[in-house]
Amino acid sequence: MRPVVEIEGVVRRFGSVTAVDGVSLAIAEGAFFALLGASGSGKTTLLRMLAGFEMPDAGRILLDGADITRTPPNRRPVNLMFQSYALFPHMTVAQNVAYGLEMERRPRAEIRARVAEMLETVQLLPLAGRRPDQLSGGQRQRVALARALVKRPRVLLLDEPLGALDAKLRGQMQLELKRLQHEVGITFIVVTHDQDEALVMADRIAILRAGRLEQVGTPREVYESPATRYAADFIGQMNFLPGHALPGGLRLPDGGLVRVAGEGPVQGEAVAAVRPERIRLGPGENTLTGTVRALAYHGLDLQLQVETPAAAEPVTLRLTAGEAETAPGIGERVTLGWAARDTRIFPA
Amino acid sequence: MPDSGAGRLVLLILAAVFAFLYVPIAVLVGLSFNASGLPTAWTGFSTRWYAALLQNGEILGAARNTLIVAAASTAIATLLGTALAVGVELRRRRSRGIEALIFAPMIIPDIVLAIALLSFFSLLRIPMGLHTIVMAHVVFNLAFVCAVVRARLKSFDWSIVEASSDLGASLVTTWVRVVLPVIAPAIVAGALLAFTLSVDEFIIAFFTAGAGRASITLPMQVYAMIRFGVTPEINALATLVMGASLVALALAQRLNRRTLGA
Ligand SMILES: Nc1ncnc2c1ncn2[C@@H]1O[C@H](COP(=O)(O)OP(=O)(O)OP(=O)(O)O)[C@@H](O)[C@H]1O
Ligand SMILES: [Mg+2]
């Protein structure tokens, strides 16, 4: 099946800054696609090009196979939910949501029915007569969402949709957005700089770095098999052990060997990478010994920082609640082990 | 503290300042209701001077002229001033020169503006009358409307313009349905301010009215009458004008507060 959105070699420069630098992406129908990247990596710029507010300096954007690169925003079957929500302050909730349908010159009865249905979906029906300044942050966020969704766009673009909410509400809304997306069956492209959020919500993630794509894949792929050191560092927690690459592994400065499965550099300076939750107490295919320097209790798990002669940075591991019962104390000597297949190697 | 000597002194000074500001006005309002024609004796409450005012053809004609000038110059200045404010705000590169040019008419002394406009009209051989007063009033009203509207635009969230376009609206629709309604209170406030300024403007009107009685405005009429002494009729007139100005100003301030508070 043809992807809904195809981005082909898109470039956007602002003066001497290249905000988006040759990005190519295909986004499948019905996907929940996350654009993830640090501040200034070009996420908003890319999204604004999809909405039509920025023109690419090079490249094309296709929607359902048709070139929309030069189509103005008001003629694209694509809607953007603004980071600031951009609600019309002089209109009620219902008028805000109806606006887009009025622009399509839909019959009054249809507008009324669709607005009511949409407000019902986002649980705002009782607040239909209020103005934006009489709403809480979470309610405004849902009005913005309803206003964009009611037009049934081919693609809904969301710029940091949960950025303005507090941590708890954010967690709820992440699941809520996912449920809603499933319910309406519209392709969502969401921008976020929060990797947890991307992992929870998206079914595909693109990692942007300085305007270029670092990796595109499912949450599991980017988490389990990061393509680059940057991606490995950006998503989740990661231990990096610098050393010298050799075929099948990496030589640590203290002479120890880290065995690595899969491809990577076979010579030169390199780093071995392993997730904290993959390391267990006791020897394994790869083994390090060291001294416990710090313990941090996180409710679900216990994090241990272990100082080893093999690396300057302490190695972090996560013990589950069960294992934590018999955890070593600070200052105790421990042996750490993990499997070769849980280890990746990247050029330094 | 309010019982201390210093506190009482401050209150006293405050009272004196307010008395200095408002006692003359209170006297004027009081005298306008004085049955006697003399400012030296109170002989009872009466509205006879207001009745006399409404019989005075000269005053009514001047009032009519003033309303025409104020309404016309306000309408033109509001249209141009709003457009100017928006245009300047939309410019990417801010220019201090343009800012100065826009606000100069607010600062230049009226007498200078009056002489300049008079020379300008004579130079171009434009016959003077109500229309030249209107043009002259547009000059300073424009600056005031522009200032009020720009203050509102400073806090205007331009992302709602993009949101409107994103939802399918054309540029014109976006202006009519989103931008203008949001800044409307500031436009109305600017217009009210312009109207009040125009109603009691004397110097510029005096210089640009041309000869003859046909284009005499209310302040000019009062000036003409006052040369034969302050009559109770003038007190009544002043009271009415002040009342109308106060209402307009209060309205403008309320609207402005609402826009800035939004
Ligand atoms: N209108 C503009 N004019 C000049 N430079 C811009 C403009 N918009 C973006 N940039 C620059 O382009 C780069 C990418 O910006 P962009 O807003 O796309 O980043 P972002 O990934 O959305 O960041 P954030 O997470 O902080 O929102 C930045 O260096 C930014 O300074
Ligand atoms: Mg951004």
Side-chain angles (χ1 to χ4, degrees), chain A residues 48 51 53 73-74 78-80 82 84 86-91 99-100 102-103 147-148 151, chain B residues 152 157 159-171 173-174 177-179 181-182 262:
Chain A
R48 287 173 60 80
F53 294 118
N74 55 341
V78 164
N79 285 111
L80 174 62
F82 290 75
S84 61
L87 299 179
F88 304 128
H90 58 301
M91 297 185 194
Y99 189 83
E102 286 166 11
M103 293 307 124
R147 187 177 68 175
K151 288 185 59 107
Chain B
R152 173 64 186 91
D157 173 14
S159 71
I160 63 175
V161 172
E162 287 192 341
S164 169
S165 153
D166 184 69
L167 291 167
S170 66
L171 203 62
T173 310
T174 297
R177 293 216 35 197
V178 175
V179 182
V182 171

Side-chain angles (χ1 to χ4, degrees), chain A residues 295-312:
Chain A
L295 290 170
Y297 178 64
H298 284 272
L300 269 183
D301 61 13
L302 181 74
Q303 293 204 2
L304 251 62
Q305 304 247 311
V306 179
E307 203 169 85
T308 67

Side-chain angles (χ1 to χ4, degrees), chain B residues 20-173:
Chain B
F20 182 68
L21 282 176
Y22 291 109
V23 166
I25 295 176
V27 168
L28 174 133
V29 174
L31 287 180
S32 76
F33 292 107
N34 191 357
S36 141
L38 300 169
T40 44
W42 177 265
T43 56
F45 180 87
S46 155
T47 53
R48 60 182 276 218
W49 303 115
Y50 288 88
L53 193 65
L54 296 180
Q55 306 284 312
N56 188 326
E58 284 188 355
I59 291 182
L60 290 182
R64 200 183 114 259
N65 283 346
T66 287
L67 285 181
I68 291 172
V69 167
S73 71
T74 298
I76 298 170
T78 302
L79 214 68
L80 295 180
T82 302
L84 186 62
V86 169
V88 170
E89 197 60 32
L90 284 181
R91 269 173 64 96
R92 288 252 171 113
R93 264 167 9 101
R94 296 283 140 83
S95 145
R96 288 195 171 278
I98 288 188
E99 307 261 308
L101 282 179
I102 290 172
F103 294 119
M106 283 164 63
I107 301 157
I108 295 175
D110 282 359
I111 182 69
V112 175
L113 213 54
I115 297 169
L117 285 161
L118 174 63
S119 328
F120 177 73
F121 291 138
S122 329
L123 186 72
L124 292 188
R125 297 184 199 290
I126 296 175
M128 288 194 274
L130 277 186
H131 57 282
T132 43
I133 306 181
V134 169
M135 281 191 258
H137 280 194
V138 165
V139 170
F140 64 85
N141 275 345
L142 185 93
F144 281 97
V145 172
C146 183
V148 174
V149 174
R150 282 198 66 191
R152 173 64 186 91
L153 286 177
K154 285 249 155 39
S155 62
F156 187 80
D157 173 14
W158 289 100
S159 71
I160 63 175
V161 172
E162 287 192 341
S164 169
S165 153
D166 184 69
L167 291 167
S170 66
L171 203 62
V172 175
T173 310

Side-chain angles (χ1 to χ4, degrees), chain A residues 19-333:
Chain A
V20 173
D21 193 2
V23 167
S24 296
L25 271 177
I27 295 167
E29 174 95 58
F32 197 128
F33 195 97
L35 285 170
L36 180 61
S39 187
S41 57
K43 308 178 297 284
T44 297
T45 307
L46 187 56
L47 207 65
R48 287 173 60 80
M49 286 194 282
L50 291 174
F53 294 118
E54 300 282 355
M55 288 294 144
D57 295 311
R60 299 197 306 163
I61 297 170
L62 308 185
L63 188 77
D64 291 318
D67 189 337
I68 57 159
T69 317
R70 308 265 150 214
T71 311
N74 55 341
R75 305 238 182 80
R76 294 188 185 200
V78 164
N79 285 111
L80 174 62
M81 185 186 143
F82 290 75
Q83 185 164 3
S84 61
Y85 306 149
L87 299 179
F88 304 128
H90 58 301
M91 297 185 194
T92 63
V93 167
Q95 286 166 340
N96 262 283
V97 176
Y99 189 83
L101 296 176
E102 286 166 11
M103 293 307 124
E104 291 176 14
R105 303 189 190 285
R106 301 268 166 196
R108 262 166 201 278
E110 182 192 334
I111 294 180
R112 207 167 312 132
R114 276 172 69 177
V115 168
E117 185 194 2
M118 196 66 235
L119 289 179
E120 181 78 58
T121 312
V122 295
Q123 294 158 20
L124 280 175
L125 207 47
L127 305 181
R130 293 231 194 138
R131 279 176 205 282
D133 60 356
Q134 301 166 319
L135 299 176
S136 73
Q139 290 164 343
R140 274 181 224 172
Q141 187 262 354
R142 281 181 285 156
V143 178
L145 189 62
R147 187 177 68 175
L149 266 183
V150 77
K151 288 185 59 107
R152 297 182 190 146
R154 285 291 289 145
V155 179
L156 180 68
L157 311 169
L158 306 98
D159 193 357
E160 306 261 359
L162 310 179
L165 306 181
D166 62 58
K168 186 154 182 184
L169 195 55
R170 249 178 119 117
Q172 280 173 19
M173 286 309 298
Q174 286 170 3
L175 299 177
E176 181 68 20
L177 265 186
K178 211 172 152 84
R179 177 190 69 81
L180 204 64
Q181 193 256 349
H182 190 75
E183 206 173 294
V184 295
I186 290 172
T187 308
F188 276 31
I189 302 179
V190 55
V191 156
T192 175
H193 62 259
D194 180 338
Q195 42 109 0
D196 281 329
E197 193 164 288
L199 291 176
V200 169
M201 295 197 296
D203 43 40
R204 270 183 99 69
I205 296 176
I207 302 173
L208 268 174
R209 178 193 186 188
R212 292 168 181 275
L213 281 181
E214 196 80 359
Q215 185 175 7
V216 184
T218 63
R220 180 170 289 275
E221 279 163 7
V222 295
Y223 188 82
E224 305 280 353
S225 342
T228 64
R229 181 180 177 173
Y230 180 85
D233 198 17
F234 195 72
I235 303 264
Q237 256 183 312
M238 187 67 93
N239 290 300
F240 289 107
L241 302 168
H244 232 85
L246 11 121
L250 175 127
R251 177 74 61 199
L252 294 170
D254 71 339
L257 180 73
V258 177
R259 268 176 268 274
V260 177
E263 65 258 39
V266 292
Q267 58 173 12
E269 299 292 305
V271 286
V274 57
R275 296 273 182 209
E277 67 273 19
R278 295 294 177 185
I279 304 178
R280 302 270 65 95
L281 289 173
E285 278 176 278
N286 290 314
T287 304
L288 286 178
T289 53
T291 314
V292 178
R293 278 289 165 242
L295 290 170
Y297 178 64
H298 284 272
L300 269 183
D301 61 13
L302 181 74
Q303 293 204 2
L304 251 62
Q305 304 247 311
V306 179
E307 203 169 85
T308 67
E313 295 282 311
V315 173
T316 305
L317 67 150
R318 280 158 74 165
L319 301 181
T320 57
E323 292 170 302
E325 308 270 311
T326 56
I330 291 179
E332 269 185 60
R333 305 255 330 144

